[in-house]
Amino acid sequence: MLPNMWLRRIIRWARRSPADWLYQHGPPATLSLPLSWPLFIIGFIFLEVLYTQTPLLPLESPPARIIQLLVFLVLFLLLLTMILRWQRLSLRAIGLLSPHWIREVLVGLTVSILLILFVMINNTINGSPPWFGWASTLSSSQRAWWILELATRAIVAGIIEEALFRGWVTTFLLTRLTRRELALWISAVIFGLVHLDQGLKGIAITTVFGYFYGLLYIWRKNLTPTIAVHTLYNFCLWLGLFGRFPP
Protein backbone atom coordinates (compact mmCIF):
# COMPACT_ATOMS: atom_id res chain seq x y z
CA MET A 1 0.00 0.00 0.00
CA LEU A 2 2.74 2.43 0.99
CA PRO A 3 4.90 1.85 -2.13
CA ASN A 4 1.83 2.33 -4.36
CA MET A 5 1.01 5.62 -2.63
CA TRP A 6 4.54 6.91 -3.18
CA LEU A 7 4.48 5.66 -6.76
CA ARG A 8 1.29 7.63 -7.45
CA ARG A 9 2.86 10.72 -5.93
CA ILE A 10 5.96 10.36 -8.09
CA ILE A 11 3.82 9.93 -11.22
CA ARG A 12 1.75 13.02 -10.33
CA TRP A 13 4.93 15.02 -9.71
CA ALA A 14 6.49 13.85 -13.00
CA ARG A 15 3.41 14.94 -14.94
CA ARG A 16 3.64 18.47 -13.61
CA SER A 17 5.73 20.84 -15.67
CA PRO A 18 8.58 22.85 -14.09
CA ALA A 19 6.59 26.02 -14.77
CA ASP A 20 3.52 24.75 -12.87
CA TRP A 21 5.59 23.47 -9.96
CA LEU A 22 7.57 26.71 -9.56
CA TYR A 23 4.46 28.87 -9.96
CA GLN A 24 2.74 27.03 -7.12
CA HIS A 25 5.79 27.08 -4.83
CA GLY A 26 6.65 30.74 -5.19
CA PRO A 27 5.24 33.83 -3.44
CA PRO A 28 1.42 34.02 -3.36
CA ALA A 29 0.88 36.44 -6.23
CA THR A 30 -0.81 36.34 -9.64
CA LEU A 31 0.81 37.21 -12.95
CA SER A 32 -1.71 38.95 -15.20
CA LEU A 33 -1.53 41.41 -18.09
CA PRO A 34 -5.12 41.88 -19.36
CA LEU A 35 -4.51 43.29 -22.85
CA SER A 36 -6.10 42.56 -26.20
CA TRP A 37 -4.05 40.65 -28.77
CA PRO A 38 -3.76 43.65 -31.14
CA LEU A 39 -2.53 45.95 -28.37
CA PHE A 40 -0.08 43.32 -27.16
CA ILE A 41 1.38 42.78 -30.66
CA ILE A 42 1.54 46.49 -31.54
CA GLY A 43 3.04 47.33 -28.15
CA PHE A 44 5.66 44.60 -28.46
CA ILE A 45 6.69 45.63 -31.98
CA PHE A 46 6.89 49.29 -30.96
CA LEU A 47 8.97 48.60 -27.85
CA GLU A 48 11.23 46.08 -29.62
CA VAL A 49 11.95 48.44 -32.51
CA LEU A 50 12.55 51.27 -30.06
CA TYR A 51 15.05 49.13 -28.15
CA THR A 52 16.93 47.59 -31.08
CA GLN A 53 16.73 50.27 -33.76
CA THR A 54 17.16 53.54 -31.88
CA PRO A 55 20.57 54.92 -32.94
CA LEU A 56 22.74 56.15 -30.10
CA LEU A 57 25.09 59.07 -30.67
CA PRO A 58 28.72 58.02 -31.35
CA LEU A 59 30.09 59.89 -28.35
CA GLU A 60 33.82 59.69 -27.59
CA SER A 61 33.63 60.41 -23.87
CA PRO A 62 32.84 57.34 -21.67
CA PRO A 63 30.89 59.45 -19.10
CA ALA A 64 28.77 60.89 -21.93
CA ARG A 65 28.06 57.40 -23.30
CA ILE A 66 27.05 56.19 -19.84
CA ILE A 67 24.69 59.14 -19.35
CA GLN A 68 23.23 58.53 -22.81
CA LEU A 69 22.51 54.88 -21.94
CA LEU A 70 20.81 55.84 -18.67
CA VAL A 71 18.69 58.51 -20.41
CA PHE A 72 17.62 55.92 -22.98
CA LEU A 73 16.64 53.52 -20.18
CA VAL A 74 14.53 56.20 -18.47
CA LEU A 75 12.78 57.11 -21.74
CA PHE A 76 12.03 53.45 -22.49
CA LEU A 77 10.51 52.93 -19.04
CA LEU A 78 8.48 56.14 -19.34
CA LEU A 79 7.00 55.02 -22.66
CA LEU A 80 6.26 51.58 -21.23
CA THR A 81 4.58 53.22 -18.24
CA MET A 82 2.45 55.40 -20.53
CA ILE A 83 1.26 52.38 -22.50
CA LEU A 84 0.31 50.57 -19.31
CA ARG A 85 -1.37 53.66 -17.83
CA TRP A 86 -3.47 53.91 -20.97
CA GLN A 87 -4.91 50.53 -19.97
CA ARG A 88 -5.14 51.58 -16.30
CA LEU A 89 -2.22 49.35 -15.36
CA SER A 90 1.12 50.02 -13.66
CA LEU A 91 4.63 48.62 -13.92
CA ARG A 92 3.69 46.12 -11.22
CA ALA A 93 1.49 44.37 -13.80
CA ILE A 94 4.68 43.27 -15.57
CA GLY A 95 6.62 42.43 -12.41
CA LEU A 96 8.47 45.70 -11.84
CA LEU A 97 8.45 47.76 -8.62
CA SER A 98 8.37 44.75 -6.31
CA PRO A 99 7.45 45.56 -2.69
CA HIS A 100 9.96 42.91 -1.50
CA TRP A 101 12.86 43.95 -3.70
CA ILE A 102 15.60 43.32 -1.10
CA ARG A 103 14.58 39.69 -0.70
CA GLU A 104 14.27 39.25 -4.45
CA VAL A 105 17.66 40.87 -5.10
CA LEU A 106 19.19 38.32 -2.71
CA VAL A 107 17.45 35.51 -4.60
CA GLY A 108 18.77 36.90 -7.87
CA LEU A 109 22.32 37.22 -6.52
CA THR A 110 22.26 33.64 -5.23
CA VAL A 111 21.07 32.27 -8.56
CA SER A 112 23.59 34.48 -10.38
CA ILE A 113 26.55 33.18 -8.37
CA LEU A 114 25.54 29.56 -8.98
CA LEU A 115 24.99 30.15 -12.70
CA ILE A 116 28.23 32.10 -13.18
CA LEU A 117 30.30 29.48 -11.33
CA PHE A 118 28.72 26.68 -13.37
CA VAL A 119 29.39 28.42 -16.71
CA MET A 120 32.95 29.39 -15.72
CA ILE A 121 33.85 25.85 -14.65
CA ASN A 122 32.16 24.29 -17.67
CA ASN A 123 33.86 26.65 -20.14
CA THR A 124 37.26 26.23 -18.47
CA ILE A 125 36.98 22.44 -18.68
CA ASN A 126 36.06 22.78 -22.37
CA GLY A 127 39.08 24.93 -23.17
CA SER A 128 37.66 28.44 -22.76
CA PRO A 129 39.02 29.82 -19.48
CA PRO A 130 38.52 33.44 -18.34
CA TRP A 131 40.20 35.91 -20.70
CA PHE A 132 41.23 39.45 -19.78
CA GLY A 133 43.40 40.31 -22.76
CA TRP A 134 41.47 43.55 -23.22
CA ALA A 135 43.06 44.93 -20.02
CA SER A 136 46.53 45.09 -21.57
CA THR A 137 45.36 47.54 -24.23
CA LEU A 138 43.97 50.10 -21.77
CA SER A 139 45.44 52.34 -19.12
CA SER A 140 44.24 52.06 -15.52
CA SER A 141 41.82 55.00 -15.86
CA GLN A 142 40.57 53.70 -19.22
CA ARG A 143 39.97 50.26 -17.68
CA ALA A 144 37.90 51.81 -14.88
CA TRP A 145 35.71 53.75 -17.31
CA TRP A 146 35.43 50.78 -19.67
CA ILE A 147 34.26 48.49 -16.86
CA LEU A 148 31.79 51.12 -15.64
CA GLU A 149 30.38 51.54 -19.14
CA LEU A 150 30.18 47.77 -19.54
CA ALA A 151 28.28 47.51 -16.26
CA THR A 152 25.89 50.27 -17.39
CA ARG A 153 25.24 48.48 -20.69
CA ALA A 154 24.55 45.26 -18.80
CA ILE A 155 22.11 47.00 -16.43
CA VAL A 156 20.27 48.76 -19.26
CA ALA A 157 20.02 45.58 -21.34
CA GLY A 158 18.97 43.52 -18.31
CA ILE A 159 16.17 45.86 -17.29
CA ILE A 160 14.82 46.53 -20.80
CA GLU A 161 14.98 42.93 -22.04
CA GLU A 162 13.40 41.51 -18.89
CA ALA A 163 10.67 44.16 -18.89
CA LEU A 164 9.96 43.46 -22.56
CA PHE A 165 10.32 39.67 -22.85
CA ARG A 166 9.39 38.45 -19.38
CA GLY A 167 7.27 41.36 -18.19
CA TRP A 168 5.36 42.14 -21.39
CA VAL A 169 5.48 38.92 -23.44
CA THR A 170 5.55 36.19 -20.80
CA THR A 171 2.99 37.82 -18.51
CA PHE A 172 0.59 38.33 -21.40
CA LEU A 173 0.96 34.74 -22.61
CA LEU A 174 0.46 33.44 -19.07
CA THR A 175 -2.74 35.50 -18.95
CA ARG A 176 -4.02 34.23 -22.29
CA LEU A 177 -2.86 30.61 -22.43
CA THR A 178 -3.94 27.78 -20.15
CA ARG A 179 -0.57 26.01 -20.15
CA ARG A 180 2.20 27.88 -18.35
CA GLU A 181 4.95 25.71 -19.86
CA LEU A 182 3.78 26.57 -23.38
CA ALA A 183 3.72 30.27 -22.51
CA LEU A 184 7.31 30.13 -21.26
CA TRP A 185 8.59 28.32 -24.34
CA ILE A 186 6.83 30.67 -26.78
CA SER A 187 8.31 33.63 -24.94
CA ALA A 188 11.75 31.99 -24.91
CA VAL A 189 11.61 31.31 -28.67
CA ILE A 190 10.67 34.94 -29.34
CA PHE A 191 13.57 36.01 -27.13
CA GLY A 192 15.90 33.76 -29.10
CA LEU A 193 14.70 34.88 -32.52
CA VAL A 194 15.36 38.56 -31.84
CA HIS A 195 19.04 37.59 -31.48
CA LEU A 196 19.33 36.58 -35.14
CA ASP A 197 22.66 38.35 -35.40
CA GLN A 198 24.20 35.65 -33.17
CA GLY A 199 23.55 32.83 -35.65
CA LEU A 200 21.72 29.55 -35.10
CA LYS A 201 23.87 28.54 -32.13
CA GLY A 202 23.34 31.90 -30.50
CA ILE A 203 19.58 31.72 -31.08
CA ALA A 204 19.45 28.26 -29.48
CA ILE A 205 21.50 29.33 -26.45
CA THR A 206 19.49 32.52 -26.02
CA THR A 207 16.24 30.55 -26.24
CA VAL A 208 17.39 28.23 -23.45
CA PHE A 209 18.38 31.21 -21.33
CA GLY A 210 15.02 32.83 -22.09
CA TYR A 211 13.28 29.73 -20.76
CA PHE A 212 15.51 29.77 -17.67
CA TYR A 213 14.73 33.44 -17.01
CA GLY A 214 11.05 32.63 -17.51
CA LEU A 215 11.19 29.89 -14.88
CA LEU A 216 12.81 32.29 -12.44
CA TYR A 217 10.16 34.92 -13.21
CA ILE A 218 7.24 32.52 -12.83
CA TRP A 219 8.69 31.28 -9.54
CA ARG A 220 9.29 34.67 -7.90
CA LYS A 221 6.47 36.47 -9.77
CA ASN A 222 8.47 39.65 -10.24
CA LEU A 223 11.33 40.80 -12.41
CA THR A 224 13.87 41.76 -9.77
CA PRO A 225 15.65 38.36 -9.64
CA THR A 226 15.62 37.92 -13.42
CA ILE A 227 17.02 41.41 -13.95
CA ALA A 228 19.79 40.66 -11.44
CA VAL A 229 20.70 37.34 -13.08
CA HIS A 230 20.45 38.69 -16.65
CA THR A 231 22.55 41.75 -15.80
CA LEU A 232 25.30 39.91 -13.94
CA TYR A 233 25.50 37.14 -16.55
CA ASN A 234 25.87 39.62 -19.41
CA PHE A 235 28.45 41.63 -17.48
CA CYS A 236 30.56 38.54 -16.75
CA LEU A 237 30.21 37.38 -20.36
CA TRP A 238 31.35 40.71 -21.82
CA LEU A 239 34.09 41.05 -19.20
CA GLY A 240 35.64 37.75 -20.31
CA LEU A 241 34.92 35.52 -17.31
CA PHE A 242 33.48 32.87 -19.64
CA GLY A 243 36.28 33.10 -22.18
CA ARG A 244 37.15 35.53 -24.93
CA PHE A 245 34.12 37.55 -26.08
CA PRO A 246 33.34 37.62 -28.88
CA PRO A 247 35.09 34.26 -29.38
Side-chain angles (χ1 to χ4, degrees):
M1 183 67 180
L2 189 60
N4 288 337
M5 180 184 68
W6 280 105
L7 181 60
R8 287 195 296 269
R9 286 187 178 182
I10 292 173
I11 292 174
R12 283 199 302 268
W13 180 84
R15 287 177 176 173
R16 296 169 67 184
S17 70
D20 288 331
W21 191 88
L22 288 170
Y23 187 88
Q24 294 171 6
H25 289 79
T30 302
L31 297 176
S32 177
L33 187 60
L35 302 176
S36 65
W37 277 100
L39 180 58
F40 161 72
I41 295 172
I42 293 172
F44 172 74
I45 294 174
F46 171 74
L47 293 170
E48 170 62 18
V49 170
L50 175 67
Y51 173 52
T52 58
Q53 303 301 320
T54 299
L56 297 179
L57 299 175
L59 303 175
E60 294 185 3
S61 169
R65 290 197 298 267
I66 291 172
I67 293 173
Q68 180 177 235
L69 287 168
L70 294 176
V71 169
F72 177 73
L73 173 62
V74 170
L75 291 175
F76 182 92
L77 292 176
L78 283 175
L79 287 172
L80 179 57
T81 301
M82 290 172 60
I83 295 172
L84 291 169
R85 288 289 186 186
W86 182 40
Q87 296 296 302
R88 298 182 179 179
L89 299 169
S90 69
L91 291 175
R92 287 193 177 184
I94 59 170
L96 287 170
L97 304 179
S98 168
H100 308 292
W101 66 272
I102 296 178
R103 180 190 67 190
E104 301 306 325
V105 166
L106 293 176
V107 172
L109 290 176
T110 302
V111 175
S112 298
I113 291 171
L114 295 174
L115 176 63
I116 290 167
L117 287 175
F118 172 78
V119 175
M120 282 181 61
I121 294 171
N122 179 73
N123 286 10
T124 301
I125 292 174
N126 287 283
S128 184
W131 181 84
F132 302 107
W134 51 266
S136 61
T137 64
L138 303 172
S139 66
S140 58
S141 61
Q142 288 175 326
R143 283 198 294 270
W145 278 113
W146 188 81
I147 292 173
L148 184 58
E149 183 179 351
L150 204 66
T152 305
R153 289 183 179 277
I155 291 170
V156 171
I159 293 175
I160 291 179
E161 291 188 4
E162 289 307 308
L164 182 56
F165 293 101
R166 254 58 66 187
W168 185 269
V169 177
T170 303
T171 309
F172 175 80
L173 293 176
L174 288 170
T175 306
R176 285 288 183 166
L177 303 180
T178 57
R179 296 182 59 187
R180 298 187 183 100
E181 193 74 17
L182 179 61
L184 289 195
W185 276 115
I186 293 175
S187 175
V189 169
I190 295 172
F191 181 60
L193 289 176
V194 299
H195 292 80
L196 285 171
D197 59 309
Q198 298 182 12
L200 291 177
K201 183 179 179 181
I203 292 173
I205 293 174
T206 307
T207 298
V208 172
F209 270 93
Y211 176 71
F212 172 74
Y213 294 144
L215 287 177
L216 184 57
Y217 175 53
I218 207 172
W219 173 38
R220 303 311 302 172
K221 301 182 181 65
N222 75 80
L223 291 178
T224 305
T226 64
I227 289 172
V229 175
H230 196 152
T231 297
L232 288 172
Y233 181 84
N234 279 355
F235 179 69
C236 291
L237 173 67
W238 299 338
L239 196 63
L241 285 178
F242 305 147
R244 186 166 184 167
F245 182 85

